[in-house]
Amino acid sequence: MELVNELKIAVKKYPALARSLRDLKRRIHFGVHGYDASIYAHLRLFAPYGAGDPQARIALALQSASQTLPLLAQLSRDYAGQQTQELTASEFCKLFDGQQGAVHLQRLFFENGSDKATFHNYHLVYGSLFRQPSSVRNFLEIGLGTNNLDVVSNMGQDGKPGASLRAFREYLPNADIFGADVDKRILFQEDRIRTFYVDQTNLASFSELAQLDLQFDLIIDDGLHSPNANIAVLLFGLKRLAPRGWIVIEDIRTEALPVWRLVGSLLSPRHRSFLIEAERGFLFAVTDLDLRDAD
C-alpha cells in the first residue's frame, strides 16, 4: 500500500511519468487483447475520433484506410474536370502509332537483359512516346533493378542492374542517361550513363539529382512500387519535365488504381494522364503533350 501511495505522489509531481504510465497501460491493454498498439498509432489518419473498444477502433481504422482512397477517387471522377484515360498497352501503342519503336525497343530490352519486354510488355508504351528518339536529350530511371535480396523490390539474384538503362542508351542515341537507386552497391558509371543514390521515401534524397538542373524528356519509376514512393517521383519530376516530356510509373497493382485515378484528377489542365493495363500490372503515364497531335 505504501508503494502505491508513493507512486501516486510521483505521478502528481512528474506529469511526464503520468503520460508514460498511461501509454504503458494502453499498450498492455492492447497486448492483452491480442493487438499491437503500433497499428493504431500508424493509422491515426484514418482512425475514428473518439473512445471505444480497442478491437473495434482498430478494425474501423483498417476499414477506413481501405475505403478512403477509393471513395476519394470516385468523388474526383464524379465531380473533377480532369480525367485519366484508361486503356491497354496495345491500345496506347496504336493511339500514338508506336509499333515501329516498340519492335525496336523490344529487341534492345531483350538483348540487355531487361524484363520490360519479357515479363512485361512495356515496350509497347515506351516505343510509342517519341516519334524521333534521337531528339531526346535527358532520360532518368528510378530503380536500377538490384539483385541484392536484402532490398525490397529486388529483381532476384539473376537480375541485371542497369539493364534497361543500357537498352535506352541504345534507343536514345543523343540522350544522357541517368539512373538512381536506394541500393548504393549497384550504382555505376559508364559511357553516357550516370547513377545516383535516391531513397524514394525521403524527398530530401533527390537533392543530388535536383542539382543537375536538367529537364528530363522521360522519367521512369521502376523502384519501390508503393504509392508514397511513386508520388515522391511525381513531385520531383513534374517540376523538371521537358516540354512534351513523360513520366511513367511502372508496376502498379490493381488494388492501387484508385490512388492513380485520384492523382490524375489533381494534375493541372496542361497535363494528360493515362492508366495503362499491361501484362502483369498497370502503368500511370503523364505528359503535357497536346493530344491533338496524336490524331
Side-chain angles (χ1 to χ4, degrees):
M1 189 67 179
E2 183 177 348
L3 177 60
V4 172
N5 290 332
E6 289 179 359
L7 281 172
K8 288 181 178 179
I9 294 172
V11 165
K12 290 181 180 179
K13 188 174 181 180
Y14 302 104
L17 176 61
R19 290 193 295 270
S20 297
L21 288 173
R22 285 196 297 269
D23 182 64
L24 178 61
K25 180 181 178 181
R26 285 195 298 269
R27 289 177 179 272
I28 292 173
H29 182 71
F30 282 5
V32 167
H33 288 80
Y35 291 93
D36 184 354
S38 66
I39 295 176
Y40 190 82
H42 287 295
L43 291 174
R44 286 188 180 277
L45 171 64
F46 301 102
Y49 185 47
D53 177 70
Q55 179 179 355
R57 294 175 71 192
I58 290 177
L60 287 168
L62 289 169
Q63 182 184 50
S64 175
S66 176
Q67 292 180 348
T68 296
L69 278 173
L71 289 171
L72 283 172
Q74 184 62 50
L75 185 67
S76 73
R77 295 179 80 175
D78 289 347
Y79 296 101
Q82 184 83 342
Q83 296 295 321
T84 297
Q85 185 174 350
E86 301 189 25
L87 67 177
T88 67
S90 296
E91 291 168 341
F92 185 90
C93 185
K94 184 177 180 180
L95 176 65
F96 290 98
D97 193 22
Q99 289 84 356
Q100 183 176 352
V103 170
H104 183 194
L105 201 46
Q106 181 182 33
R107 177 177 60 81
L108 294 177
F109 283 147
F110 181 78
E111 291 176 352
N112 286 277
S114 171
D115 71 349
K116 293 189 191 301
T118 52
F119 190 77
H120 303 288
N121 60 345
Y122 293 167
H123 60 286
L124 295 176
V125 175
Y126 294 123
S128 306
L129 300 184
F130 304 105
R131 292 179 179 174
Q132 294 182 327
S134 60
S135 67
V136 174
R137 292 293 178 263
N138 295 301
F139 166 92
L140 170 64
E141 181 168 21
I142 309 292
L144 305 183
T146 181
N147 53 5
N148 291 312
L149 302 184
D150 58 340
V151 179
V152 175
S153 294
N154 66 77
M155 293 290 293
Q157 61 185 5
D158 295 325
K160 295 183 178 180
S164 59
L165 295 186
R166 297 182 179 99
F168 277 109
R169 177 175 59 185
E170 294 186 56
Y171 183 66
L172 307 172
N174 296 318
D176 288 323
I177 307 297
F178 299 91
D181 203 278
V182 71
D183 188 355
K184 295 181 179 180
R185 294 167 292 182
I186 64 167
L187 301 182
F188 68 97
Q189 292 193 36
E190 291 180 3
D191 179 40
R192 290 175 44 223
I193 296 178
R194 296 169 61 189
T195 62
F196 300 83
Y197 168 78
V198 161
D199 176 0
Q200 292 176 256
T201 67
N202 178 11
L203 269 174
S205 73
F206 285 80
S207 60
E208 193 172 3
L209 282 175
Q211 290 171 8
L212 294 173
D213 195 24
L214 295 173
Q215 287 188 316
F216 295 96
D217 299 281
L218 175 57
I219 298 174
I220 296 174
D221 178 4
D222 188 16
L224 184 56
H225 306 311
S226 64
N228 61 319
N230 299 147
I231 292 171
V233 173
L234 277 183
L235 287 171
F236 168 82
L238 287 172
K239 299 176 183 178
R240 297 168 177 85
L241 201 58
R244 299 177 182 270
W246 290 85
I247 299 175
V248 180
I249 310 295
E250 292 187 359
D251 298 349
I252 296 170
R253 59 195 304 172
T254 303
E255 293 84 353
L257 292 181
V259 174
W260 297 103
R261 293 183 178 118
L262 178 59
V263 168
S265 74
L266 296 174
L267 296 174
S268 71
R270 77 172 185 271
H271 293 114
R272 295 294 180 268
S273 59
F274 303 84
L275 261 178
I276 305 165
E277 183 178 359
E279 291 181 3
R280 301 179 181 88
F282 291 78
L283 304 96
F284 179 83
V286 58
T287 183
D288 62 0
L289 177 67
D290 186 342
L291 293 185
R292 289 172 297 183
D293 288 352
D295 293 339

